[in-house]
Amino acid sequence: MTLFRHGVAGLPRDERPVVVTVGTFDGVHRGHWSVLEEIGARAAARGGKSVLVTFDPHPLRIVRPDAAPKLLTTLDERKEVLSGSRLDYVVFLPFTQELREYSPQRFVTEILIGGLGMSELVIGYDHGFGKGRSGDVNTLRAIAAEHGFAVDVVGAVHAGAAAISSSSIRRALLEGRLADANRGLGRPYSLSGEVVRGDGRGRGIGFPTANVRVSGEDKLIPAAGIYACHVQVPAGRFMGALHIGPRPTFPGAGDTVEVFLLDFEGELYGGDIRLQLVERLRPVVAFDSAAALVERMRADVAETRALLGGPPDSSPGRASSPVDIALDSRDTPG
């Protein structure tokens, strides 16, 4: 069972070896999982504890706010995905102006050794830490030789020729390459939030949609388009045709995140909704009339039903993850 802590204070200490990894872990993608599985296996083999040390907020929010990326996973989403791991503890360190000034030596000695009692450190091949990311594998090995802990490096995990990374997954989502993003994540990309009232255009043309205010102001919204998705609402799980972006068929209409639930009847206003994006069907396009839009939406729904006819993969942690949605909301895909 994974236990979550905010800061290292109060973490139980005993004589068991402590195997640690450190990183932002945004997305908790397949590359991250290879590191988590390694520390879990090493801790189990030594009869020890496995600990992930991660950060909140994303370090770039403090170091370079103008360059901070949109997030693949909010804090709650990271917790939900990580709860399916073999980790004993996840420690969230508040990333502050003070912490950003820590040298690699100080970070290791005060937090990892002094705070956690670390005996072994497992890191990804591209790990950088300390002020200005000045610490690397060679730095860690020098510190390890001085303080008597082991350092192990886990190599890259590839999707095709490219190494999987949070930045490559962000790029894929923003470019509309959902299949590439999902392949890197090892699960469908997720969005979630609250269903809010729109302007009712969808209901007026026979496709009532749930307008979603995405949770997490820093959450990454994928490229505009129509997506086939699985939808979780209080009444159960449904197939959905999801619209993200502008509605050019209706002049003056704003961008939305809204979904038409197949085979659903009822009200959703004010409730929570979760989306797992399975496939991008097409870009958003302008139609000459509402009738032309309706015809295309019927085709989108038919394609969604054909794609999602089976139940979604809902295994914990890896194949299902949390979700969060927040945008200006109105109504009607375009």
Side-chain angles (χ1 to χ4, degrees):
M1 177 180 178
T2 303
L3 300 176
F4 299 97
R5 295 297 179 100
H6 289 269
V8 297
L11 198 72
R13 298 287 290 270
D14 54 39
E15 297 304 314
R16 289 182 294 164
V18 179
V19 184
V20 177
T21 191
V22 181
T24 305
F25 279 68
D26 182 32
V28 197
H29 54 63
R30 286 171 53 207
H32 294 143
W33 277 98
S34 69
V35 176
L36 298 179
E37 288 168 353
E38 182 69 15
I39 71 165
R42 287 178 177 274
R46 299 181 61 181
K49 296 181 291 189
S50 57
V51 181
L52 164 62
V53 177
T54 188
F55 306 100
D56 182 59
H58 192 287
L60 280 176
R61 283 278 158 216
I62 303 302
V63 177
R64 287 187 57 199
D66 59 322
K70 292 293 187 180
L71 298 178
L72 300 173
T73 44
T74 64
L75 178 62
D76 286 343
E77 289 175 344
R78 269 193 292 165
K79 287 182 177 180
E80 184 174 338
V81 180
L82 289 168
S83 68
S85 72
R86 297 172 61 183
L87 292 167
D88 292 304
Y89 293 96
V90 176
V91 175
F92 290 93
L93 287 183
F95 198 90
T96 61
Q97 290 290 353
E98 180 184 4
L99 187 62
R100 71 172 287 189
E101 296 298 323
Y102 274 39
S103 66
Q105 178 88 16
R106 183 182 179 190
F107 183 83
V108 171
T109 56
E110 288 191 12
I111 295 177
L112 302 187
I113 298 175
L116 300 174
M118 178 184 70
S119 56
E120 185 171 0
L121 179 63
V122 179
I123 57 171
Y125 72 102
D126 59 348
H127 183 71
F129 71 105
K131 184 176 180 179
R133 288 176 60 89
S134 57
D136 58 14
V137 173
N138 292 329
T139 309
L140 280 172
R141 286 186 169 141
I143 299 172
E146 180 182 352
H147 291 278
F149 62 88
V151 175
D152 300 288
V153 180
V154 176
V157 175
H158 290 79
I164 295 170
S165 67
S166 299
S167 57
S168 69
I169 294 171
R170 290 188 196 100
R171 242 185 343 265
L173 289 168
L174 293 173
E175 293 172 1
R177 295 183 287 110
L178 179 66
D180 290 342
N182 286 351
R183 191 175 302 114
L185 287 168
R187 64 182 188 276
Y189 187 66
S190 297
L191 295 171
S192 66
E194 179 188 1
V195 177
V196 297
R197 290 191 179 273
D199 56 20
R201 284 198 179 98
R203 189 176 300 277
I205 60 174
F207 286 90
T209 56
N211 291 264
V212 187
R213 179 178 292 124
V214 180
S215 302
E217 61 179 357
D218 294 332
K219 177 71 175 180
L220 186 146
I221 306 298
I226 309 301
Y227 295 80
C229 65
H230 291 295
V231 186
Q232 183 69 50
V233 294
R237 193 182 293 267
F238 297 84
M239 295 176 284
L242 171 67
H243 169 99
I244 295 176
R247 296 174 293 164
T249 305
F250 303 99
D255 287 9
T256 64
V257 173
E258 55 184 315
V259 61
F260 173 70
L261 279 66
L262 281 63
D263 309 318
F264 173 81
E265 293 184 6
E267 292 293 340
L268 295 171
Y269 294 128
D272 294 330
I273 191 169
R274 172 177 295 187
L275 313 174
Q276 289 183 316
L277 281 60
V278 176
E279 187 162 326
R280 186 172 187 256
L281 304 180
R282 62 175 176 87
V284 172
V285 296
F287 294 92
D288 294 335
S289 65
L293 169 61
V294 168
E295 183 178 354
R296 184 54 193 262
M297 289 174 67
R298 286 176 179 150
D300 294 336
V301 168
E303 187 175 357
T304 295
R305 191 182 297 279
L307 283 167
L308 305 183
D313 186 347
S314 58
S315 57
R318 296 297 295 276
S320 67
S321 75
V323 200
D324 287 287
I325 311 181
L327 278 185
D328 176 19
S329 298
R330 315 250 160 79
D331 217 316
T332 304

